[in-house]
Amino acid sequence: GSILEPQERSMEPPAVPPEEEEEEEEEEMPLTAAPGPAGCQLFGYVGIEAVLDQMKIKTMKMGFEFNIMVVGQSGLGKSTMVNTLFKSKVSRKASQPGQEERIPKTVQLQCVTHVIEEKGVKMKLTVTDTPGFGDQINNENCWDPIIKYINEQYERYLREEILITRKRKIPDTRVHVCVYFVPPTGHWLRPLDLEFMRRLSKIVNVVPVIAKADSLTLEERTEFKQRIQEDLKAHAISVYPQEDFDQDPDDRALNDRIREKIPFAVVGADQEHQVNGKRVLGRKTKWGIIEVENPAHCEFPLLRDLLIRSHLQDLKDITHNVHYESYRVRRLNESNGP
């Protein structure tokens, strides 16, 4: 009992004269009123981290929307690539097997919407295909229908947003990313490619890819990539991820590594083959099987990680906060003008 007494007494604050107490209170008042930037120290478990669980449960119940547009000439494997990305038949073929493919005279946009569910998370996926783009002899202004469609989705969202009685959740049909398929020529970008990306990069996130990269050797692929990067830099075309929107050093370091790899050299396949006792997605040739998900064969895993696993929410945020915001400001200025 005699040993515990000093410890119990030490827990109590020492006796201070009344005059010193007033001085200490006056000194401590400004510190408690204005806490430092480090934040407040918690003395026990409060449960703030449970907010993450609440957000996860709410997102799983409501689901989320993701809209992707694929642009490129016919025969570059756009539909196959989208099916490979989501491992399901989410994009329909332009022609049925056994029938002659009919190339449309103008650019026609085809939208297919599916609900994909994985481990309880639902995603409403909308794939917009652009058959007829770049297939004609005269491709003048062939990007106009695509620009018109993207702006129409912004206009639809804006009309819902400015209503007096708005919906609790506005349907989001805005295009979050546009994947542009570059033909594997091995030379420079065509004027059509440059003009399209120059116009579209101002209103939507553009991700260029080299289609059917298995038709190029590794040396040709590396040289073609360097030429495309030089073309984009010379014409001041800003593709996703844009340097201006990096928020912190970690994001900048990650995006710099991605920008070094763009455009991704991809190979799409929707058939499985047996390789070393495992079923893998790939393309079968005389010389072997090109594995789609093997980083040594192509850069499809990098494209999938960018679009789905690491930057999907960032694509939606930039679409809403940058591209849609600039359209909203322009439209409101036009309506409020003389």
Side-chain angles (χ1 to χ4, degrees):
S2 61
I3 297 174
L4 293 175
E5 281 180 3
Q7 295 178 356
E8 291 176 357
R9 288 172 184 170
S10 63
M11 296 295 290
E12 299 175 0
V16 182
E19 296 178 357
E20 294 182 7
E21 280 185 358
E22 292 179 0
E23 292 177 359
E24 286 183 0
E25 287 179 359
E26 291 177 357
E27 292 177 357
E28 291 179 354
M29 280 299 290
L31 295 176
T32 55
C40 182
Q41 181 82 23
L42 299 178
F43 297 103
Y45 179 74
V46 178
I48 298 176
E49 64 177 3
V51 176
L52 299 176
D53 297 331
Q54 298 173 31
M55 296 172 64
K56 181 180 178 180
I57 294 172
K58 187 174 182 180
T59 303
M60 292 179 67
K61 286 182 179 179
M62 298 179 61
F64 59 97
E65 297 154 325
F66 186 61
N67 307 317
I68 180 173
M69 174 183 281
V70 288
V71 181
Q73 286 182 333
S74 301
L76 291 181
K78 300 187 297 296
S79 301
T80 304
M81 178 56 61
V82 174
N83 292 338
T84 310
L85 271 174
F86 299 97
K87 293 188 176 180
S88 57
K89 301 290 184 180
V90 295
S91 181
R92 58 188 175 191
K93 296 288 184 179
S95 62
Q96 297 179 357
Q99 293 184 359
E100 184 180 356
E101 184 174 355
R102 179 180 175 274
I103 300 176
K105 295 181 180 180
T106 57
V107 180
Q108 299 175 358
L109 278 75
Q110 300 175 353
C111 298
V112 183
T113 301
H114 296 275
V115 176
I116 303 176
E117 185 172 353
E118 183 181 31
K119 294 184 179 180
V121 181
K122 294 181 180 179
M123 180 175 70
K124 185 180 179 182
L125 174 68
T126 301
V127 180
T128 305
D129 198 358
T130 57
F133 177 83
D135 291 337
Q136 309 304 317
I137 297 176
N138 182 9
N139 292 305
E140 186 178 2
N141 298 330
C142 63
W143 46 77
D144 285 347
I146 299 174
I147 296 177
K148 181 182 177 183
Y149 174 81
I150 294 173
N151 287 330
E152 282 176 354
Q153 309 315 309
Y154 289 151
E155 182 69 22
R156 181 181 299 181
Y157 193 91
L158 178 61
R159 288 179 180 176
E160 292 287 343
E161 198 177 41
I162 61 178
L163 290 176
I164 297 176
T165 55
R166 294 188 295 184
K167 296 179 181 178
R168 188 174 181 182
K169 183 181 179 182
I170 301 176
D172 191 3
T173 60
R174 299 169 295 182
V175 178
H176 299 126
V177 61
C178 174
V179 181
Y180 187 77
F181 286 72
V182 179
T185 59
H187 302 293
W188 301 89
L189 285 175
R190 302 171 302 170
L192 175 64
D193 303 328
L194 292 171
E195 188 64 20
F196 175 85
M197 285 191 278
R198 186 184 69 81
R199 291 173 180 264
L200 266 291
S201 61
K202 298 177 181 178
I203 61 174
V204 72
N205 300 312
V206 177
V207 177
V209 298
I210 301 174
K212 294 190 174 181
D214 53 334
S215 61
L216 300 171
T217 64
L218 296 180
E219 293 79 9
E220 291 173 343
R221 184 189 302 179
T222 303
E223 188 176 355
F224 191 32
K225 266 193 175 190
Q226 293 176 354
R227 289 178 176 177
I228 292 176
Q229 291 174 355
E230 291 174 6
D231 271 344
L232 295 176
K233 188 175 182 180
H235 293 82
I237 298 173
S238 179
V239 297
Y240 184 84
Q242 299 92 334
E243 294 185 10
D244 299 338
F245 305 146
D246 294 338
Q247 298 185 2
D248 53 57
D250 294 336
D251 290 346
R252 181 175 294 276
L254 173 62
N255 291 338
D256 283 341
R257 292 195 297 269
I258 295 174
R259 282 187 280 265
E260 292 176 359
K261 299 287 185 179
I262 283 180
F264 299 122
V266 298
V267 177
D270 51 8
Q271 293 183 357
E272 291 185 343
H273 300 278
Q274 195 83 12
V275 177
N276 297 328
K278 297 180 180 179
R279 303 289 295 179
V280 296
L281 281 171
R283 290 169 59 87
K284 189 174 183 180
T285 65
K286 290 182 180 180
W287 306 274
I289 296 175
I290 302 167
E291 300 177 27
V292 170
E293 297 181 332
N294 188 345
H297 292 188
C298 73
E299 294 175 339
F300 169 80
L302 300 178
L303 175 65
R304 180 187 57 198
D305 292 347
L306 176 70
L307 296 181
I308 301 174
R309 299 184 180 180
S310 62
H311 286 68
L312 188 146
Q313 188 59 44
D314 187 58
L315 286 165
K316 299 183 67 173
D317 292 341
I318 291 180
T319 300
H320 180 77
N321 299 326
V322 179
H323 299 303
Y324 168 71
E325 190 67 19
S326 61
Y327 178 84
R328 187 185 69 87
V329 170
R330 185 174 73 250
R331 286 287 290 116
L332 294 180
N333 285 335
E334 290 174 0
S335 60
N336 295 331

